Every structure is written in C-alpha cells, then in structure tokens.
Amino acid sequence: MTTTFVGMPTFPAAARAALADTQLRRNLAHATATIRAKRAAAVAEIDDWEELRHSGAAIKDHTLRHLDTYLIQLEQSLTSAGATVHWARDAAEACGIVADVARRHRVDEVVKVKSMATQEIGLNEALAAAGVAAWETDLAELIVQLGGDLPSHILVPAIHRNRSEVREIFLREMARAGRPAPADLSDEPAALANAARLHLREKFFSARMAVSGANFAVAESGTLVVVESEGNGRMCLTLPDILVSIVGIEKVVPTWADLDVFLQLLPRSSTGERMNPYTSTWAGVTPGDGPQEVHVVLLDNGRTNVLADQVGRQALRCIRCSACLNVCPVYERTGGHAYGSVYPGPIGAVLTPMLRGVGHDPSTDSLPYASTLCGACYEVCPVAIDIPEILVHLRAQVVDAHRARVPHGQDVAMKTAGWTLGSPGRLRMAERLRGLAGRLVPHSRRSPEGRASLGRLPWPGSRWTDARDLPAPPAESFRRWWARTNGGRRAEGGTT
Ligand code: SF4
C-alpha cells in the first residue's frame, strides 16, 4: 500500500474526526447522492442487467480459476506484440522496475494515467526517492497531488473538496509544479478545468515517459485497456516515447468477447454513463505510432494470498467502479480517508485487510468492522461480490489473530455459553439462575412494544449494558412452557 497512508489511526478514531467535519460531510453527501442517482438511471435502462452482472462474475471466476494459464497467454501475446513483460511479487519490486526504466533513459519526470495499482504500491513516493517527479494528469488526482492530500474515493479522489477549495489549491500550488493558474481564476468548473488543461498540456509535451495502470488486459491479443472520462490518459498513452503499465494480475480477461461484458458494466456502474468518453487500447509497440518502448509489469502484491482464500477470492472480481462506495451509509458519512488505504469504502474494507494480511496492524484490523452489513454494496456491485459475507469472514480472522494466551472476557463468555448449552442439565440450571437474576435486577427500560430490559449490570456485565439493551428474562422458560402445555397442544388454560 502507499506509504502516504502509513500510521493512520484505526477506523473508529479516524471516522470520529471525519464526522466532526461538517463541510466534508456536506461535500460527500452531495457528490455520492448525485452519482448514485445517475447510476440508478443508467442501470434501469438495461432489461437484463442482472444477467449481465452474473455474466461478469462468471467470467471473472473462470479467469481466476485458470489465472496461471491466462497470465502466461497474456505474457506471450504482449511479448510477440513488442512489449517487455516484468513480473513483480510486491510493491518494492514493481517500483524498482519502473525506476530502472526511468534511470536507463535518464528521465527525471513522468506523466501518469490515473491508476489505483500505482497508488497501492506507493509509486510516486518511490520515484521521488529515485529523483524522478511523477505528475498526475487525471484532474481529480491532480487536485489531490497539488493539495498534498490523500485520495478519498476510487473514481473521484478529490470528492471531499468543493470547487472553492480547488480554486485555492490551484492558485497556491500550480506555479510550484509548472505553469501557474491565472491570477483571476474563478471557481467556475469550466475555468478550473481550463487552468488544469493548460497546466497539464505542458507536462504532456515535455514528458518522455508515461506510467499507467490498466482496467483490463486481454490475454488472447495482449491488449491493455484504459477507460476514462477526460482524455488525459490518452495523451499519456500516445505522446511519450516510453510507456510502463502496472497491471494487477487479476485484471486479465480471456478474450475480446469477455471485454464486451465489462465495457457495459463499468461505465454504468461508475459514472452512470452508457459509455465512457475515452476507451484506449494498445498492444505492444507499433513502429512510428505511439510509445516505441512499452513495458508491462504484472503485479501480485498480495493478490495470490487473496486468491488462496476461498471466501475472499471473489474480491478479485472487482473492476473498481466505486458503486459500492456511493451507496455505503458508512462511507457517505466518514469519507475515504478514515479507511487508511487507497481502497476506501466497502471494497477497501475487505481488499485492504486481505492484501496486507490481518493481525499485524490495528488500523487494518479495524476495517472489517467499518460496515453496518446492510448489504447495499452487494446489491449494486456489477460483478456480484458478496462484500458482507467477506466482512464477516474477515472479522472471524481478526478475532482469531488476536486470541490471547490469557482469554478475554468475550472468549470466557463464549466458552461458558458453549459449556452450558452442551448439556440439558446445565441448561436447566442456567435457566433457573437467569430467572432468579431477572427478579433481582431491576427492569429499568421498556420498549414501545412493552418488552422489558434489565437495568445497568455490575461490572463486567456493565460493559454490555452501558451500550446495549439486555432483554429481561421471560417469566417462564421455554422448557417449562413446553412441559406445562405439552408442546403447545394443551391450551394455556389447561384444556387441549
Ligand atoms: S466491489 Fe463491486 S461495486 Fe465495489 S468497486 Fe468493486 S466492482 Fe465496484
């Protein structure tokens, strides 16, 4: 993961700070509601959306089952098209490969296509350490980079900024990175976009090397695919002499026909468009046209560990559309920074712990709990990833990773419950004790339906009752009721 997120607090602590920022919550609520509505309208146009969605899931599952075969095929296709293929086990290897290419060509600046994989491996920081400046060319990424900020959304990394904040960043920071913003810059979207266009154009014309990711990699033809809205990616992919693409190994799809399914699913799910404005495809080197030296880095960085997890591997279907972020009630209130990762929201809450591994870092271990398990993320996911199922699975892993030699109160409570429920005699005894406790502890609360709850219990029970209701035990246990009524066959009054 990118080093810029290292040292982030746990999700609850970061979320508490984010919740106190009313401007942030206003920006997020407005932006997510807008994208949500656009997506819903675009999806409603397709009669067989559910079938399309399950086709996408089936293609991804098939590819992941035969990943070794398709990756080798992709490597062969890319190599025969003139690209150089590298394999990177982790972030350090991937960053080292890119830095070596830059060093070999004496390049001291690169332009970048928006890419989650390069953020995940902390490429900008690694290149800076090697004396190479990496310039983001996606408008939202540029805002984040100039503002010295962290991305907070997969698709709209600057979603936490409003336009007057963007204007201030441009006026303050653009000059340090190249062409300054006009002194009379307004906060009109068209004026801001024009300032970015002029600033970036100089970068496109001066940079000799570009770095990209890829949304998809077609094994049969060695074609890499980038979908985008602004066209800045296409400038990077066509103008410089050297191109390095960092591609997560889960991005491979077997054929062009498979790609067809994803090019329908992705734009409707991400930007709520029928089709994204720019889809760039390239395979290796074409003499006299575009980059004349093309490198492709196939990146693992924890993905094979995810593949080994029978429940969690479905997360590798993800096409990074960000629909799950926009519907998540937790994300909408906290924003992306609270997740301490380049992958925020529901997909981040499962992908980050699986890529990093649980049990090492409190911030990562807190992520599977950053959810209400409402299931909205699963409903909108275009490749039907059951995120709630993975969250519950990861919570179990986190609990197991923290099982102490000296058991916690919760472990003791669960063991005691298991022991009690394991014998009819012990259960009978427990029911008697519970009935007695119910008479001794005052019932201080009553729900609107008339159900009574126990009041505050003494420690350690108070750790439960301080935050939750504990229903008062019923006056009669189920077993006694069963015996008295012959399993409900005898009426309460005693007749059958
Ligand atoms: S998990 Fe599904 S909804 Fe979320 S970003 Fe990935 S593909 Fe999109």
Side-chain angles (χ1 to χ4, degrees), residues 154 317-325 347 377 380-385 387:
I154 292 175
R317 293 182 201 149
C318 177
I319 55 173
R320 311 282 191 265
C321 71
S322 73
C324 57
L325 278 64
I347 184 61
C377 47
V380 297
C381 178
V383 282
I385 300 172
I387 294 178

